[in-house]
Amino acid sequence: MDELAIRYQRHLAFDRIGAEGQRRLARGSVLVAGCGALGGAAAALLVRAGVGAVRLVDDDRVEPSNLPRQILYDEADAAAGVAKAPRAAERLRAANSACRIEARVERIDAGTIDALLDGIDVVVDGLDNFATRYVVNDACVRRGVPWIYGGVVGATGVTLTVRPGLGPCLRCVFPEAPPEDAVPTCRTHGVVAPAPVTIAALETVETLKLLLGRDDVRPELLSLDLWDGSFRAVRVARAPACPACGAGPARGTR
Ligand SMILES: [Zn+2]
């Protein structure tokens, strides 16, 4: 306990965590969906914060074009084309051996999401496409698991904390996934690392609040432009006709 008090002394001194909060974090279990720029940065912050268990899932391998922003990987990883999730887990175990870190190299889809959510308290979005986010959203709404949506492109980002039953879900705000060629992506419009790192930091703060059982979770959809240094918070509400969490016998409801 002394060792923990020394290690986490800056958390114990922070009034919104404290000793009891740190014990709660150690009991928490988080799924990080995607281990790229967003997920990798969020995973690093969560593991170092003393979260008890982190499950990393990604079916991708490290490439040279990942290195400018995916902070858990190095040139040797890219040269060897190693799988991201196990490599990220290895790096993060060295950062905090008390955290139970599990790596799964698999696709997130309707067939895998339920097993991935088993025992999970909060899901952090590190994904790069809307189709998979809807899979996560619908399963989280159905199971009552909170999740943090986060997306980036260029120097911009957006994030929303979804608490099923208590606020809007992703489909309340964006009922259907936009066609893939209709929205700018990091592939077509590029991305600079400060955008995913900032969104990952915001996702991490919300995750900590949820694990701590706090009621000051951010209710707005937050968009930011790192290049301009501008942040915009937009109030969003539950949509009664939401296909996932709305009233009535619709898909995704419990
Ligand atoms: Zn909804």
Side-chain angles (χ1 to χ4, degrees):
M1 189 55 215
D2 273 357
E3 221 174 278
L4 288 184
I6 293 167
R7 178 169 185 140
Y8 294 109
Q9 55 178 276
R10 304 297 193 273
H11 281 182
L12 303 196
F14 181 55
D15 62 357
R16 277 149 284 183
I17 299 182
E20 173 53 27
Q22 194 64 45
R23 282 191 286 272
R24 288 187 77 133
L25 293 182
R27 294 194 296 269
S29 188
V30 177
L31 173 68
V32 177
C35 299
L38 267 178
L45 294 173
L46 291 164
V47 167
R48 286 179 186 273
V51 169
V54 173
R55 181 176 293 153
L56 305 170
V57 56
D58 199 308
D59 68 343
D60 211 358
R61 293 176 172 278
V62 182
E63 298 172 18
S65 67
N66 300 150
L67 297 180
R69 66 195 174 281
Q70 300 193 15
I71 59 178
L72 294 179
Y73 313 117
D74 61 24
E75 291 177 354
D77 299 331
V82 297
K84 289 182 182 179
R87 192 74 183 103
E90 193 184 340
R91 285 268 151 76
L92 294 176
R93 282 184 195 116
N96 191 347
S97 55
C99 182
R100 297 185 305 283
I101 304 174
E102 184 192 349
R104 296 205 187 171
V105 182
E106 56 187 277
R107 276 185 76 82
I108 298 174
D109 57 30
T112 61
I113 186 65
D114 278 293
L116 289 168
L117 287 173
D118 271 345
I120 292 297
D121 300 313
V122 183
V123 180
V124 172
D125 180 4
L127 299 164
D128 62 358
N129 70 89
F130 259 91
T132 312
R133 289 192 180 104
Y134 284 87
V135 170
V136 170
N137 181 74
D138 295 355
C140 283
V141 165
R142 179 163 39 80
R143 296 171 63 117
V145 177
W147 76 285
I148 326 291
Y149 158 58
V152 295
V153 63
T156 67
V158 60
T159 181
L160 173 72
T161 304
V162 174
R163 287 189 297 165
L166 297 172
C169 80
L170 189 65
R171 285 189 192 271
C172 289
V173 184
F174 310 108
E176 294 296 333
E180 261 184 34
D181 53 359
V183 286
T185 67
C186 295
R187 211 169 285 274
T188 60
H189 287 64
V191 62
V192 287
V197 169
T198 303
I199 292 292
L202 291 164
E203 289 184 304
T204 301
V205 168
E206 294 298 292
T207 302
L208 295 180
K209 289 181 198 170
L210 289 163
L211 294 177
L212 291 166
R214 295 183 57 87
D215 57 9
D216 53 0
V217 172
R218 183 171 34 74
E220 302 96 355
L221 180 80
L222 187 64
S223 358
L224 53 90
D225 186 323
L226 267 291
W227 210 263
D228 297 343
S230 61
F231 285 65
R232 197 163 64 100
V234 179
R235 277 272 177 183
V236 283
R238 285 186 76 178
C242 172
C245 76
R251 172 170 48 111
T253 53
R254 268 191 271 187

